[in-house]
Amino acid sequence: MLRWKTTPVSLAETQSIDKGKQAEVAGEGGTFVRLNCLTSGERMKPSTELVQVKEYRIYVEQYRREGNRKSIILINGALATTGSFNHCVKYLRDDLDIILFDLPFTGQSRPHNPAGGIITKDEEVEILLALIDRYRPQSLLSVSWGGYAAMMALARRPLSIERAVVASFSSHLNEPMRNYVSKARDLVMAERFGDVAKLMNDEVGRFLPKLLKHVNHRHLSSLDSREYHQACFHIEQILSLDDEDYTDLYRKIDVPVLFVNGELDEHTSPEAVRELGNYIDGSRFCTLPDAGHFLDLENRGARRRMQQVLKDFLMPAICDSDEPTSYHDARFDVVDHDMSYVLKSPISSRLPRQSMGR
């Protein structure tokens, strides 16, 4: 497994991350700079550090709580940053220490990797494995594109990981997703970055509230050419996924995996991911009602249900027990002969809309 080491950075570099309290501490295999060290009364503020993985400097945030026995690492979707997990941090931090990171080309890692270059999905996997090796989390949670790196890392069987949640993931590209990423590639090649942002909001982000659509549009419209070159490469990788056979890789995964998909998500639909149950022993499948691709970011009900589902699945990892915990009015109905289940609500307030790509 790829080994990690950490290196000190200059004060000027740390100021680009945060202007808070700074302290250099020694770490096994090297040294690192930790920013915003937690003090009493700063429970919501993460400790942060830069971790060297090969030629890349990776920005890492950690939320710690005294008394937590285990931790989870969260894996972003395409071009997303640590900020996309704000809701998860709020409802998981009381039970698990939380580790988040930005890939070299985006977020808080970008200023510390000026050389540029394209990051392949294999390099994403190596970065993830290095961080798992460094922090030894017992669980992981991925969303969207992050699911590919997560699944490939799980197939390498990292020793500390006991279970995983893979959200808004599909094992193959359906017609709406293929149309969506093809349109996005054409717009990126034409440098119509504002239209890329609009496309994302209209397609996979169609059920986001207006404020988050505005934030997404502003974020995507502000990306530089390097990030869009990475986006083009990322899109080409997605379009080539159907040419690769991952079944042998999936069979190597030896920990329980919960797949969570939104009932209204046409791009990574609940039906499309269920075939993975044929390859991954102990896999489970949960469908969130009244939710699309962005799940808990879309509405309060989806956020509450996602919190219940995650705690129900992850709580055995916290308690060293295989018995699930019931949470209030969460309803799990068996839908297959295996361990699959679906969380249902009596009425979905929104009906799936016709995909623009059809």
Side-chain angles (χ1 to χ4, degrees), residues 91-333:
Y91 54 67
L92 290 179
R93 69 177 189 264
D94 287 340
D95 300 307
L96 292 166
D97 288 344
I98 300 172
I99 305 151
L100 309 98
F101 66 97
D102 285 333
L103 288 167
F105 54 83
T106 193
Q108 300 278 26
S109 290
R110 182 178 58 177
H112 306 286
N113 296 278
I118 297 297
I119 308 298
T120 67
K121 66 175 180 292
D122 291 328
E123 288 176 306
E124 289 186 30
V125 174
E126 292 301 322
I127 290 170
L128 175 57
L129 287 171
L131 296 178
I132 291 174
D133 190 41
R134 162 72 177 91
Y135 297 105
R136 302 287 178 178
Q138 287 73 37
S139 305
L140 67 79
L141 165 64
S142 67
V143 295
S144 196
W145 166 253
Y148 290 102
M151 298 283 280
M152 294 172 72
L154 289 172
R156 301 271 288 273
R157 299 182 175 180
L159 294 177
S160 69
I161 298 296
E162 299 171 358
R163 58 186 61 211
V165 179
V166 178
S168 295
F169 176 79
S170 176
S171 57
H172 64 274
L173 300 182
N174 61 13
E175 182 181 356
M177 178 62 86
R178 183 169 288 277
N179 289 339
Y180 166 65
V181 295
S182 296
K183 287 180 181 179
R185 175 189 58 188
D186 294 342
L187 291 173
V188 169
M189 295 296 291
E191 299 188 353
R192 294 167 55 186
F193 303 144
D195 289 336
V196 175
K198 183 178 185 303
L199 177 70
M200 191 282 291
N201 280 336
D202 289 343
E203 292 266 354
V204 294
R206 69 181 64 182
F207 297 119
L208 286 171
K210 289 183 178 180
L211 178 59
L212 282 185
K213 285 190 176 186
H214 173 74
V215 171
N216 269 336
H217 193 281
R218 184 176 60 185
H219 169 66
L220 292 173
S221 299
S222 68
L223 299 181
D224 61 21
S225 60
R226 176 188 172 190
E227 287 172 295
Y228 273 109
H229 285 141
Q230 177 69 47
C232 275
F233 182 76
H234 161 74
I235 290 171
E236 293 296 339
Q237 284 186 302
I238 291 178
L239 290 172
S240 69
L241 287 177
D242 283 355
D243 296 330
E244 301 185 44
D245 185 356
Y246 288 99
T247 55
D248 289 340
L249 179 144
Y250 295 146
R251 287 191 175 99
K252 294 178 182 177
I253 296 174
D254 63 348
V255 297
V257 181
L258 171 64
F259 295 94
V260 182
N261 295 77
E263 180 185 39
L264 308 181
D265 185 2
E266 295 183 350
H267 297 81
T268 53
S269 68
E271 296 77 20
V273 76
R274 286 181 178 269
E275 66 174 315
L276 294 179
N278 296 322
Y279 312 114
I280 302 173
D281 291 337
S283 55
R284 304 180 182 186
F285 303 90
C286 179
T287 300
L288 287 190
D290 204 24
H293 189 77
F294 285 93
L295 297 171
D296 59 342
L297 296 179
E298 296 181 346
N299 61 75
R300 186 174 299 176
R303 184 160 60 250
R304 176 179 59 82
R305 295 183 186 103
M306 186 70 168
Q307 176 180 355
Q308 293 170 344
V309 166
L310 290 181
K311 286 196 171 186
D312 188 83
F313 181 73
L314 295 172
M315 192 61 71
I318 300 168
C319 302
D320 295 320
S321 169
D322 289 330
E323 294 299 322
T325 303
S326 296
Y327 277 84
H328 307 294
D329 60 348
R331 293 166 52 191
F332 298 95
D333 299 329

